[in-house]
């Protein structure tokens, strides 16, 4: 935060160890902590779910699961998943079988029928 404050010509101020947060300072705080400049510029915010515990053990948390939880907690209306697969296929060997639209009931049925399988289950559960 201090680095960005200096970059935009604002002198960081502290009182009793706490940051003095006036309106211009708050704008920088938001930009740094929540990626305001990234979002406002039309960029996509990417969150990596690599975390450590108190013993510095590194964990790779499933991004689909975490994304679903974050999106649900925000009450988001839309979710775009970037992946290296074409999407939901009725036949994995036929790219022409790409599903353009499916509702939650349809997704659950496709999982039960094992039409949706493997890692794609995590992606669709994230959306559900």
């Amino acid at each position: 935060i201090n680095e960005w404050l200096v970059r935009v010509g604002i002198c960081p101020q502290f009182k009793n160890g706490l940051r003095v947060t006036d309106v211009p300072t708050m704008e920088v705080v938001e930009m740094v902590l929540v990626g305001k400049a990234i979002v406002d510029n039309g960029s996509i915010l990417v969150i990596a779910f690599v975390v450590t515990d108190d013993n510095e053990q590194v964990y790779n948390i499933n991004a689909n699961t975490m994304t679903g939880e974050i999106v649900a907690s925000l009450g988001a209306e839309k979710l775009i998943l970037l992946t290296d697969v074409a999407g939901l296929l009725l036949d994995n060997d036929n790219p022409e079988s790409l599903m353009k639209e499916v509702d939650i009931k349809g997704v659950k049925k496709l999982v039960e029928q094992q039409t949706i399988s493997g890692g794609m289950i995590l992606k669709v559960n994230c959306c559900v």
Side-chain angles (χ1 to χ4, degrees), residues 55-87:
N55 297 319
E56 297 186 21
Q57 172 66 45
V58 180
Y59 298 94
N60 179 19
I61 306 299
N62 183 276
N64 296 306
T65 303
M66 290 301 298
T67 299
E69 294 298 322
I70 290 170
V71 169
S73 71
L74 294 173
E77 293 181 24
K78 295 182 181 179
L79 167 64
I80 299 172
L81 296 177
L82 302 178
T83 181
D84 61 352
V85 296

Side-chain angles (χ1 to χ4, degrees), residues 18 28 36-37 43 46 51 60 69 111-112 123-124 127:
L18 298 174
V28 174
K36 182 178 179 183
S43 298
V46 177
V51 299
N60 179 19
E69 294 298 322
V111 171
E112 287 173 11
K123 287 176 180 31
V124 296
C127 296

Side-chain angles (χ1 to χ4, degrees), residues 17-33:
L18 298 174
R19 181 180 308 282
V20 176
T21 312
D22 57 8
V23 172
T25 301
M26 190 61 201
E27 288 182 23
V28 174
V29 169
E30 286 178 329
M31 178 186 73
V32 171
L33 296 182

